[in-house]
Amino acid sequence: MPLLGVMAAPETHFLLVPLVAQGHIIPMVDLARLIAARGPRVTIVTTPVNAARNRPAVEAAAKAGLAVELVELPFPGPQLGLPEGLENADQMVDRTMYPKFFQAIWKMAEPLEGYLRALPRRPDCLVADSCNPWTAGVCAALGIPRLVLHCPSAYFLLAVHNLSIHGVYDRVGDDESEEFEVPDFPVRAVGSKATFRGFFQWPGVEKEQQDVLEAEATADGMLINTFRGMEGAFVDAYAAALGKRTWAVGPTCAGAGVMGDADAKAGRGNRADVDAARIVSWLDARPPASVLYVSFGSIAQLPAKQVEELARGLEASGRPFVWAIKEAKADAAVRALLDDEGFEERVKDRGLLVRGWAPQVTILSHPAVGGFLTHCGWNATLEAISHGVPALTWPNFADQFCSERLLVDVLGVGVRSGVKLPAMSSTGVDVGVQVTREDVERVVAELMDGRTEAAARRCRAKELAAEARAAMEEGGSSYTDLDDMIRYVSELSRTRSHERDASSTSLPSMATDLGSKNGPEKIEADAALSVHS
């Protein structure tokens, strides 16, 4: 049931528009539940395929007495030649699909505006993913307050901002390997353009990057999926740099609706390709903190040779593991490694392979799990932190290298695998094997053994998990920030409503300003690939 002491009137209505990628939809659905728990009504707008994936989570919220609903808008992909039903970034099987995929996303401005105009009452606020700048024109046309939700870390946001405004990116130019230190940053952070690249910082998408910056600059405020006890210095510095009202409202995965609901854990983001009860039973038979969980998220794909090195290293480590190996679905060489060469049979007594989507939160919340080999997507990073599981970091692209720096260098709850570069270069070249089987065996031991350093890391991870949960509980920093955001929206919405009522002229549609005018423009596949974590 909705919590008592809600700051908003019961009729307050939030409309949430996530990017159609798993790492962005999942926290937006979490946010919907958190807002609805305070009293407002929440509508999540997405496409049919993504609605189907997330319907169990929304239905669970409704059963709990929360006013959360899904609204489906048609995805314009087929208009651009994409297959019917291809509506999520993790469905891309060919890199050449990405340009049209993002053109289709930009074209959603028109159906969104049509839906909003048909409503009997305008929403009090639209919360848009930062990678959906095309919503800005829609909100401006209809006088709807708009907030931006950032799904990566505040560390990443501030680093990219500072590197841009201090001219570091311009200075290094096309040299992706030259090392530099991030200027005017709360901690020392050293890297290269390849490992500090923003989401749309690729040749050919300069206009899309400008759309993102303009939509952020004109927003009525920002939400960041983090908490002040972990990233307060970065949150405050980013808010000051942009001069925006900013609320840290995470980790959304640590909200009571996810942490305390077994079904919500198992079905989070998508239906798992294995029965969660089978995994729990398997984990129940293992000692506490003995199992390594391995997953590279929904987008990153390791080349077959790197998968083989990882497999050999896990086998040589002698430690129990659960591996979500989605590459087995599409890569014949990986299937041959698992089946024809007998890897799965050889490790069956201590290795459990999930060929596809795994119930990640169910796994991470189990006491038998003592480590997480992760691609460092921000969702996965927050899930590890919220459950007190130390990380073995293996970043692939974009913000993931910043997540690694935060986990290892700032928080002290991670061990590096040894990855130095994105799995794919800016020119589309596969960089090949970066972590050998010997490396894997060594870093797994470093993360999972019982030495003093590893024990201290585990202790720090448990402390950080307690801080994350406390932030989400009543009186915690994220709980308070969310209450303040709802109060701010209620006041702002009343002001905008009065302004609309007082206006004697209708505003022309501005949806095309940041929406459909970009539809026909070329969006490079490399840039599109970099958006997801």
Side-chain angles (χ1 to χ4, degrees):
M1 297 297 292
L3 300 174
L4 298 177
V6 171
M7 294 282 121
E11 69 274 11
T12 303
H13 181 202
F14 282 79
L15 194 82
L16 275 51
V17 186
L19 182 70
V20 286
Q22 291 301 90
H24 297 247
I25 294 178
I26 289 173
M28 194 73 93
V29 173
D30 289 344
L31 179 63
R33 183 164 187 151
L34 292 168
I35 293 173
R38 305 298 203 279
R41 179 165 67 94
V42 184
T43 301
I44 303 167
V45 176
T46 189
T47 69
V49 167
N50 292 293
R53 289 185 180 191
N54 291 277
R55 186 162 285 112
V58 172
E59 289 177 347
K63 288 179 181 178
L66 304 179
V68 180
E69 63 179 352
L70 280 165
V71 166
E72 299 177 11
L73 294 181
F75 189 65
Q79 300 174 22
L80 298 167
L82 293 175
E84 192 77 37
L86 194 155
E87 300 174 11
N88 189 290
D90 66 11
Q91 296 175 294
M92 300 291 109
V93 295
D94 185 340
R95 288 170 57 85
T96 62
M97 292 180 173
Y98 274 96
K100 290 183 178 179
F101 184 70
F102 268 77
Q103 290 169 21
I105 291 172
W106 252 246
K107 285 176 69 67
M108 289 185 70
E110 184 176 347
L112 176 63
E113 182 170 343
Y115 164 73
L116 290 170
R117 287 187 180 277
L119 291 176
R121 177 179 176 274
R122 301 279 162 79
D124 295 280
C125 180
L126 186 148
V127 180
D129 189 286
S130 62
C131 295
N132 281 339
W134 48 270
T135 59
V138 175
C139 290
L142 302 180
I144 300 172
R146 176 177 53 88
L147 303 180
V148 167
L149 172 66
H150 284 291
C151 290
S153 67
Y155 181 115
F156 168 77
L157 297 171
L158 182 62
V160 171
H161 175 80
N162 287 4
L163 289 168
S164 297
I165 64 169
H166 286 279
V168 178
Y169 288 128
D170 293 334
R171 178 177 60 78
V172 299
D174 295 332
D175 188 346
E176 299 201 351
S177 62
E178 180 183 340
E179 287 203 339
F180 48 71
E181 183 173 347
V182 181
D184 196 21
F185 206 57
V187 298
R188 185 172 188 269
V190 177
S192 63
K193 191 172 184 178
T195 61
F196 271 111
R197 189 184 298 279
F199 283 164
F200 287 98
Q201 289 180 333
W202 298 81
V205 290
E206 292 81 6
K207 182 63 180 70
E208 285 67 37
Q209 170 71 357
Q210 189 60 36
D211 283 354
V212 170
L213 295 175
E214 290 177 1
E216 183 180 50
T218 57
D220 295 297
M222 300 184 296
L223 302 170
I224 305 179
N225 186 17
T226 189
F227 64 102
R228 294 184 180 278
M230 179 174 73
E231 286 200 290
F234 305 104
V235 171
D236 291 342
Y238 192 63
L242 270 67
K244 290 286 178 186
R245 289 285 293 267
T246 302
W247 301 273
V249 296
T252 61
C253 63
V258 176
M259 296 289 276
D261 188 330
D263 290 337
K265 290 179 183 178
R268 184 172 162 80
N270 203 351
R271 289 181 176 84
D273 288 304
V274 64
D275 182 21
R278 178 192 168 204
I279 291 185
V280 170
S281 177
W282 189 91
L283 290 170
D284 285 344
R286 270 69 193 176
S290 65
V291 177
L292 178 70
Y293 172 53
V294 182
S295 174
F296 290 89
S298 60
I299 301 295
Q301 297 276 349
L302 297 184
K305 289 183 178 180
Q306 182 62 84
V307 171
E308 180 177 3
E309 290 300 300
L310 174 56
R312 302 300 187 199
L314 291 174
E315 185 176 4
S317 75
R319 298 177 187 276
F321 62 89
V322 177
W323 185 0
I325 181 167
K326 63 181 180 297
E327 291 85 355
K329 281 191 166 184
D331 195 321
V334 172
R335 290 196 298 274
L337 168 70
L338 304 184
D339 301 327
D340 301 345
E341 297 178 32
F343 173 78
E344 187 168 16
E345 176 66 21
R346 290 196 306 273
V347 301
K348 65 180 181 181
D349 292 335
R350 60 179 178 84
L352 179 61
L353 303 186
V354 179
R355 302 190 184 205
W357 188 265
Q360 184 155 290
V361 176
T362 299
I363 294 168
L364 290 173
S365 63
H366 197 284
V369 175
F372 182 14
L373 196 168
T374 173
H375 68 305
C376 299
W378 190 235
N379 253 11
T381 298
L382 288 177
E383 288 166 355
I385 287 169
S386 297
H387 292 91
V389 180
L392 180 52
T393 60
W394 193 311
N396 278 258
F397 49 77
D399 64 311
Q400 297 168 10
F401 287 88
C402 282
S403 298
E404 177 182 61
R405 294 181 184 96
L406 184 68
L407 286 166
V408 178
D409 301 333
V410 179
L411 302 176
V413 295
V415 171
R416 285 182 167 84
S417 66
V419 170
K420 302 294 185 185
L421 295 169
M424 196 75 68
S425 74
S426 61
T427 58
V429 177
D430 181 351
V431 299
V433 172
Q434 295 195 65
V435 186
T436 67
R437 63 191 69 185
E438 293 82 11
D439 294 330
V440 172
E441 183 179 3
R442 173 180 53 79
V443 295
V444 167
E446 183 179 349
L447 182 76
M448 302 291 291
D449 69 19
R451 293 181 299 179
T452 302
E453 186 176 344
R457 190 181 301 115
R458 285 191 291 272
C459 182
R460 174 58 185 143
K462 296 300 182 187
E463 292 172 350
L464 195 58
E467 293 174 19
R469 291 192 295 270
M472 296 299 292
E473 293 171 354
E474 187 169 2
S477 63
S478 295
Y479 188 103
T480 302
D481 267 19
L482 187 64
D483 268 353
D484 185 66
M485 181 275 288
I486 294 172
R487 183 167 50 244
Y488 170 79
V489 164
S490 296
E491 296 169 355
L492 182 60
S493 178
R494 283 193 293 270
T495 300
R496 294 283 172 86
S497 180
H498 293 155
E499 291 173 352
R500 286 198 303 267
D501 292 343
S503 176
S504 58
T505 58
S506 60
L507 291 172
S509 173
M510 296 174 62
T512 55
D513 287 353
L514 285 176
S516 58
K517 72 178 180 181
N518 292 313
E521 293 184 7
K522 184 174 183 292
I523 298 180
E524 297 292 341
D526 292 323
L529 185 62
S530 76
V531 174
H532 316 292
S533 56

Coordinates of all heavy atoms in Angstrom, one line a residue, residues 12-80:
T12 N -1.8 13.4 -8.4 CA -0.5 13.7 -9.0 C -0.1 12.5 -10.0 O -0.2 11.4 -9.6 CB 0.6 13.9 -8.0 OG1 0.3 15.0 -7.2 CG2 1.9 14.3 -8.7
H13 N 0.3 12.8 -11.2 CA 0.5 11.8 -12.2 C 1.9 12.0 -12.9 O 2.2 13.1 -13.4 CB -0.6 11.9 -13.3 CG -0.5 10.9 -14.4 ND1 -1.1 11.0 -15.6 CD2 0.1 9.7 -14.4 CE1 -0.8 10.0 -16.4 NE2 -0.1 9.1 -15.7
F14 N 2.7 11.0 -12.7 CA 4.0 11.0 -13.4 C 4.0 10.1 -14.6 O 3.4 9.0 -14.6 CB 5.1 10.4 -12.4 CG 5.5 11.4 -11.4 CD1 4.8 11.6 -10.2 CD2 6.7 12.0 -11.5 CE1 5.2 12.5 -9.3 CE2 7.2 12.9 -10.6 CZ 6.4 13.1 -9.4
L15 N 4.6 10.5 -15.7 CA 4.8 9.7 -16.9 C 6.2 9.5 -17.1 O 7.0 10.4 -17.1 CB 4.2 10.5 -18.1 CG 4.0 9.7 -19.4 CD1 2.7 8.9 -19.3 CD2 4.0 10.5 -20.6
L16 N 6.6 8.2 -17.2 CA 8.0 7.8 -17.3 C 8.3 7.2 -18.6 O 7.6 6.4 -19.1 CB 8.4 6.7 -16.2 CG 8.7 7.2 -14.8 CD1 7.7 8.2 -14.2 CD2 8.9 6.1 -13.8
V17 N 9.4 7.7 -19.3 CA 9.7 7.3 -20.6 C 11.2 6.8 -20.6 O 12.1 7.5 -20.8 CB 9.6 8.5 -21.6 CG1 9.8 8.0 -23.1 CG2 8.2 9.1 -21.5
P18 N 11.4 5.5 -20.5 CA 12.7 4.9 -20.4 C 13.3 4.7 -21.9 O 12.5 4.6 -22.8 CB 12.5 3.5 -19.8 CG 11.1 3.2 -20.1 CD 10.3 4.5 -20.2
L19 N 14.6 4.7 -22.0 CA 15.2 4.2 -23.2 C 14.9 2.7 -23.4 O 14.9 2.0 -22.4 CB 16.7 4.5 -23.2 CG 17.5 4.1 -24.4 CD1 17.2 5.0 -25.5 CD2 19.0 4.1 -24.1
V20 N 14.8 2.3 -24.6 CA 14.4 0.8 -24.8 C 15.7 0.0 -24.8 O 16.1 -0.6 -25.8 CB 13.6 0.7 -26.1 CG1 12.2 1.1 -25.9 CG2 14.3 1.4 -27.3
A21 N 16.3 -0.1 -23.6 CA 17.5 -0.9 -23.4 C 17.4 -1.4 -21.9 O 16.9 -0.6 -21.0 CB 18.7 -0.1 -23.6
Q22 N 17.8 -2.6 -21.7 CA 17.6 -3.2 -20.3 C 18.1 -2.4 -19.2 O 17.5 -2.2 -18.2 CB 18.1 -4.6 -20.3 CG 17.4 -5.6 -21.2 CD 15.9 -5.8 -20.8 OE1 15.1 -5.1 -21.3 NE2 15.6 -6.7 -19.9
G23 N 19.4 -1.9 -19.4 CA 20.0 -1.1 -18.4 C 19.4 0.2 -18.0 O 19.7 0.8 -17.0
H24 N 18.4 0.6 -18.9 CA 17.7 1.8 -18.7 C 16.2 1.6 -18.2 O 15.7 2.3 -17.4 CB 17.7 2.7 -19.9 CG 19.1 3.1 -20.3 ND1 19.5 4.4 -20.3 CD2 20.2 2.3 -20.7 CE1 20.8 4.4 -20.7 NE2 21.2 3.2 -20.9
I25 N 15.6 0.5 -18.8 CA 14.2 0.2 -18.4 C 14.1 -0.2 -17.0 O 13.2 0.2 -16.2 CB 13.6 -0.8 -19.4 CG1 13.5 -0.2 -20.8 CG2 12.2 -1.3 -18.9 CD1 13.0 -1.2 -21.8
I26 N 15.0 -1.1 -16.6 CA 14.9 -1.7 -15.2 C 14.9 -0.6 -14.1 O 14.0 -0.7 -13.3 CB 16.1 -2.7 -15.0 CG1 15.8 -4.0 -15.9 CG2 16.2 -3.1 -13.6 CD1 17.0 -5.0 -15.9
P27 N 15.9 0.3 -14.1 CA 15.8 1.3 -13.0 C 14.6 2.2 -13.1 O 14.0 2.7 -12.1 CB 17.1 2.1 -13.2 CG 17.5 1.9 -14.5 CD 17.1 0.5 -14.9
M28 N 14.1 2.4 -14.4 CA 12.9 3.3 -14.5 C 11.6 2.6 -14.0 O 10.8 3.2 -13.3 CB 12.7 3.6 -16.0 CG 11.7 4.7 -16.3 SD 12.3 6.4 -15.8 CE 13.0 7.0 -17.4
V29 N 11.5 1.3 -14.1 CA 10.4 0.5 -13.5 C 10.6 0.5 -12.0 O 9.6 0.7 -11.3 CB 10.4 -0.9 -14.1 CG1 9.4 -1.8 -13.3 CG2 10.1 -0.9 -15.6
D30 N 11.8 0.4 -11.5 CA 12.0 0.5 -10.1 C 11.5 1.9 -9.6 O 10.8 2.0 -8.5 CB 13.5 0.4 -9.7 CG 14.0 -1.0 -9.9 OD1 13.2 -1.9 -10.0 OD2 15.3 -1.1 -9.9
L31 N 11.9 2.9 -10.3 CA 11.5 4.3 -9.9 C 10.0 4.5 -9.9 O 9.5 5.2 -9.0 CB 12.2 5.3 -10.9 CG 11.9 6.8 -10.6 CD1 12.4 7.2 -9.3 CD2 12.4 7.7 -11.7
A32 N 9.3 3.9 -10.9 CA 7.9 4.0 -10.9 C 7.3 3.4 -9.6 O 6.4 4.0 -9.0 CB 7.3 3.2 -12.1
R33 N 7.8 2.3 -9.2 CA 7.3 1.7 -7.9 C 7.6 2.6 -6.7 O 6.7 2.8 -5.8 CB 7.9 0.3 -7.8 CG 7.3 -0.4 -6.5 CD 7.6 -1.9 -6.6 NE 7.0 -2.5 -5.5 CZ 6.5 -3.8 -5.5 NH1 6.7 -4.5 -6.6 NH2 5.9 -4.3 -4.5
L34 N 8.8 3.2 -6.7 CA 9.1 4.0 -5.6 C 8.2 5.3 -5.5 O 7.8 5.7 -4.4 CB 10.6 4.4 -5.7 CG 11.6 3.3 -5.5 CD1 13.0 3.8 -5.9 CD2 11.6 2.9 -4.0
I35 N 8.0 5.9 -6.7 CA 7.1 7.1 -6.7 C 5.7 6.7 -6.3 O 5.1 7.4 -5.5 CB 7.1 7.7 -8.1 CG1 8.5 8.3 -8.4 CG2 6.1 8.8 -8.2 CD1 8.7 8.8 -9.8
A36 N 5.2 5.6 -6.8 CA 3.8 5.2 -6.5 C 3.6 4.9 -5.1 O 2.5 5.1 -4.5 CB 3.4 4.0 -7.4
A37 N 4.7 4.4 -4.4 CA 4.6 4.1 -3.0 C 4.4 5.4 -2.2 O 4.0 5.3 -1.0 CB 5.9 3.4 -2.5
R38 N 4.6 6.6 -2.7 CA 4.4 7.8 -2.0 C 3.0 8.4 -2.3 O 2.6 9.4 -1.8 CB 5.4 8.9 -2.4 CG 6.9 8.5 -2.3 CD 7.2 8.2 -0.8 NE 8.7 8.4 -0.6 CZ 9.6 7.4 -0.9 NH1 9.2 6.3 -1.4 NH2 10.9 7.7 -0.6
G39 N 2.3 7.7 -3.2 CA 0.9 8.2 -3.5 C 0.6 8.6 -4.9 O -0.6 8.3 -5.3
P40 N 1.5 9.2 -5.7 CA 1.1 9.5 -7.1 C 0.8 8.3 -8.0 O 1.2 7.2 -7.7 CB 2.4 10.2 -7.6 CG 3.1 10.7 -6.4 CD 2.8 9.7 -5.3
R41 N 0.1 8.6 -9.1 CA -0.1 7.6 -10.1 C 1.1 7.7 -11.1 O 1.5 8.8 -11.4 CB -1.4 7.9 -10.8 CG -1.8 6.9 -11.9 CD -3.2 7.0 -12.3 NE -3.5 8.3 -12.9 CZ -3.5 8.5 -14.2 NH1 -3.2 7.6 -15.1 NH2 -3.9 9.7 -14.7
V42 N 1.5 6.5 -11.6 CA 2.7 6.5 -12.5 C 2.3 5.6 -13.7 O 1.8 4.5 -13.6 CB 3.9 5.8 -11.8 CG1 5.1 5.9 -12.7 CG2 4.2 6.6 -10.5
T43 N 2.6 6.2 -14.9 CA 2.5 5.5 -16.1 C 3.8 5.4 -16.8 O 4.6 6.3 -16.9 CB 1.5 6.3 -17.1 OG1 0.3 6.5 -16.5 CG2 1.4 5.6 -18.4
I44 N 4.2 4.1 -17.2 CA 5.4 3.9 -17.9 C 5.1 3.7 -19.4 O 4.3 2.8 -19.7 CB 6.1 2.6 -17.4 CG1 6.4 2.7 -15.9 CG2 7.4 2.3 -18.1 CD1 6.7 1.4 -15.3
V45 N 5.7 4.5 -20.2 CA 5.4 4.5 -21.7 C 6.5 3.8 -22.3 O 7.7 4.2 -22.2 CB 5.2 5.9 -22.2 CG1 5.1 5.8 -23.8 CG2 4.0 6.6 -21.6
T46 N 6.2 2.7 -23.1 CA 7.3 2.0 -23.8 C 6.6 1.2 -25.0 O 5.4 1.5 -25.3 CB 8.0 1.0 -22.8 OG1 9.1 0.5 -23.5 CG2 7.1 -0.1 -22.3
T47 N 7.4 0.4 -25.6 CA 6.9 -0.3 -26.8 C 6.3 -1.7 -26.4 O 6.5 -2.2 -25.3 CB 8.0 -0.5 -27.8 OG1 9.0 -1.5 -27.2 CG2 8.7 0.8 -28.1
P48 N 5.6 -2.4 -27.3 CA 4.9 -3.6 -26.9 C 5.9 -4.7 -26.4 O 5.6 -5.4 -25.4 CB 4.3 -4.1 -28.3 CG 3.9 -2.8 -28.9 CD 5.1 -1.9 -28.6
V49 N 7.0 -4.9 -27.1 CA 7.9 -5.9 -26.6 C 8.5 -5.6 -25.2 O 8.5 -6.5 -24.4 CB 9.1 -6.1 -27.6 CG1 10.3 -6.9 -27.0 CG2 8.6 -6.7 -28.9
N50 N 8.8 -4.4 -25.0 CA 9.3 -4.0 -23.7 C 8.3 -4.0 -22.6 O 8.5 -4.3 -21.4 CB 10.0 -2.7 -23.8 CG 11.3 -2.7 -24.6 OD1 12.3 -3.4 -24.2 ND2 11.3 -2.1 -25.8
A51 N 7.1 -3.7 -23.0 CA 5.9 -3.8 -22.0 C 5.7 -5.2 -21.6 O 5.5 -5.5 -20.4 CB 4.7 -3.2 -22.7
A52 N 5.8 -6.2 -22.5 CA 5.6 -7.6 -22.2 C 6.7 -8.1 -21.3 O 6.4 -8.8 -20.3 CB 5.6 -8.4 -23.5
R53 N 7.9 -7.6 -21.5 CA 9.0 -8.0 -20.6 C 8.8 -7.6 -19.2 O 9.2 -8.3 -18.2 CB 10.4 -7.5 -21.2 CG 10.9 -8.1 -22.4 CD 12.2 -7.6 -22.7 NE 12.8 -8.1 -24.0 CZ 14.1 -8.0 -24.3 NH1 14.9 -7.2 -23.6 NH2 14.5 -8.5 -25.4
N54 N 8.3 -6.4 -19.0 CA 8.2 -5.7 -17.7 C 6.9 -5.8 -17.1 O 6.7 -5.3 -16.0 CB 8.7 -4.3 -17.8 CG 10.2 -4.2 -18.1 OD1 11.0 -4.3 -17.2 ND2 10.5 -4.0 -19.4
R55 N 5.9 -6.4 -17.8 CA 4.6 -6.5 -17.2 C 4.5 -7.2 -15.9 O 3.8 -6.8 -15.0 CB 3.6 -7.1 -18.2 CG 2.2 -7.1 -17.8 CD 1.2 -7.4 -18.9 NE 1.1 -6.2 -19.8 CZ 1.5 -6.1 -21.0 NH1 2.2 -7.1 -21.6 NH2 1.4 -5.0 -21.7
P56 N 5.3 -8.3 -15.7 CA 5.2 -9.0 -14.4 C 5.6 -8.1 -13.2 O 5.0 -8.1 -12.2 CB 6.2 -10.2 -14.5 CG 6.2 -10.5 -16.0 CD 6.0 -9.1 -16.6
A57 N 6.6 -7.2 -13.4 CA 7.0 -6.3 -12.4 C 6.0 -5.3 -12.1 O 5.7 -4.9 -10.9 CB 8.3 -5.6 -12.7
V58 N 5.3 -4.8 -13.1 CA 4.3 -3.8 -13.0 C 3.0 -4.4 -12.3 O 2.4 -3.8 -11.5 CB 3.9 -3.1 -14.3 CG1 2.7 -2.2 -14.2 CG2 5.1 -2.4 -14.9
E59 N 2.7 -5.6 -12.7 CA 1.5 -6.3 -12.1 C 1.8 -6.6 -10.7 O 0.9 -6.5 -9.8 CB 1.2 -7.6 -12.9 CG 0.6 -7.3 -14.3 CD 0.4 -8.6 -15.1 OE1 0.9 -9.7 -14.6 OE2 -0.3 -8.6 -16.1
A60 N 3.0 -6.9 -10.3 CA 3.4 -7.1 -8.9 C 3.2 -5.9 -8.1 O 2.7 -5.9 -6.9 CB 4.8 -7.6 -8.8
A61 N 3.5 -4.7 -8.7 CA 3.4 -3.4 -8.0 C 1.9 -3.2 -7.8 O 1.4 -2.7 -6.8 CB 4.0 -2.3 -8.8
A62 N 1.1 -3.4 -8.8 CA -0.4 -3.2 -8.7 C -1.0 -4.1 -7.6 O -1.9 -3.6 -6.9 CB -1.0 -3.5 -10.1
K63 N -0.5 -5.3 -7.6 CA -1.0 -6.2 -6.5 C -0.7 -5.7 -5.1 O -1.4 -6.0 -4.2 CB -0.5 -7.7 -6.7 CG -1.1 -8.4 -7.9 CD -0.4 -9.8 -8.1 CE -1.0 -10.5 -9.3 NZ -0.4 -11.8 -9.5
A64 N 0.4 -5.0 -5.0 CA 0.8 -4.4 -3.8 C 0.0 -3.1 -3.5 O 0.3 -2.4 -2.5 CB 2.3 -4.1 -3.7
G65 N -0.9 -2.8 -4.3 CA -1.7 -1.6 -4.1 C -1.2 -0.3 -4.6 O -1.6 0.8 -4.3
L66 N -0.2 -0.4 -5.5 CA 0.4 0.8 -6.1 C -0.2 1.1 -7.5 O -0.4 0.2 -8.3 CB 2.0 0.6 -6.2 CG 2.7 0.2 -4.9 CD1 4.2 0.0 -5.2 CD2 2.5 1.2 -3.9
A67 N -0.3 2.4 -7.7 CA -1.0 2.8 -9.0 C 0.1 3.0 -10.1 O 0.6 4.1 -10.4 CB -1.7 4.2 -8.8
V68 N 0.5 1.8 -10.6 CA 1.5 1.8 -11.7 C 0.9 1.1 -12.9 O 0.3 0.0 -12.7 CB 2.8 1.1 -11.3 CG1 3.8 1.1 -12.4 CG2 3.4 1.7 -10.0
E69 N 1.1 1.7 -14.1 CA 0.5 1.1 -15.3 C 1.5 1.2 -16.4 O 2.4 2.0 -16.4 CB -0.8 1.8 -15.6 CG -0.7 3.2 -16.0 CD -2.0 3.9 -16.4 OE1 -3.0 3.2 -16.5 OE2 -2.0 5.1 -16.6
L70 N 1.3 0.3 -17.4 CA 2.1 0.4 -18.6 C 1.2 0.9 -19.8 O 0.0 0.5 -19.9 CB 2.6 -1.0 -19.0 CG 3.8 -1.6 -18.3 CD1 3.9 -3.1 -18.5 CD2 5.1 -0.9 -18.8
V71 N 1.8 1.7 -20.6 CA 1.1 2.2 -21.8 C 2.1 1.8 -23.0 O 3.2 2.1 -22.9 CB 0.8 3.7 -21.8 CG1 0.4 4.2 -23.2 CG2 -0.4 3.9 -20.9
E72 N 1.5 1.2 -24.0 CA 2.3 0.8 -25.2 C 2.1 1.8 -26.3 O 1.0 2.2 -26.7 CB 1.9 -0.6 -25.7 CG 2.1 -1.7 -24.6 CD 1.6 -3.0 -25.1 OE1 1.3 -3.1 -26.3 OE2 1.5 -4.0 -24.3
L73 N 3.3 2.2 -26.9 CA 3.3 3.0 -28.1 C 3.9 2.2 -29.2 O 4.9 1.5 -28.9 CB 4.0 4.3 -27.9 CG 3.4 5.3 -27.0 CD1 4.2 6.6 -27.0 CD2 2.0 5.7 -27.4
P74 N 3.5 2.2 -30.4 CA 4.1 1.4 -31.5 C 5.5 1.9 -31.7 O 5.8 3.1 -31.7 CB 3.2 1.7 -32.7 CG 2.6 3.0 -32.4 CD 2.4 3.1 -30.9
F75 N 6.4 0.9 -32.0 CA 7.8 1.3 -32.3 C 8.0 1.5 -33.8 O 7.6 0.6 -34.6 CB 8.7 0.2 -31.8 CG 10.2 0.5 -31.9 CD1 10.7 1.5 -31.1 CD2 11.1 -0.1 -32.7 CE1 12.1 1.9 -31.1 CE2 12.4 0.2 -32.8 CZ 12.9 1.2 -32.0
P76 N 8.5 2.6 -34.2 CA 8.6 3.0 -35.6 C 9.6 2.2 -36.4 O 9.8 2.5 -37.6 CB 8.9 4.5 -35.6 CG 8.7 4.9 -34.2 CD 8.9 3.8 -33.4
G77 N 10.2 1.2 -35.8 CA 11.3 0.5 -36.5 C 11.0 0.0 -37.9 O 11.7 0.2 -38.9
P78 N 9.8 -0.7 -38.1 CA 9.5 -1.2 -39.4 C 9.4 -0.1 -40.5 O 9.7 -0.4 -41.7 CB 8.1 -1.9 -39.2 CG 8.1 -2.3 -37.8 CD 8.9 -1.2 -37.1
Q79 N 9.1 1.1 -40.1 CA 9.1 2.2 -41.1 C 10.4 2.5 -41.7 O 10.6 3.0 -42.8 CB 8.6 3.5 -40.4 CG 7.2 3.4 -39.9 CD 6.8 4.7 -39.1 OE1 7.4 5.8 -39.4 NE2 5.8 4.6 -38.2
L80 N 11.5 2.1 -40.9 CA 12.9 2.3 -41.3 C 13.5 1.0 -41.8 O 14.8 1.0 -42.0 CB 13.6 2.9 -40.2 CG 13.1 4.3 -39.7 CD1 13.8 4.6 -38.3 CD2 13.5 5.3 -40.7

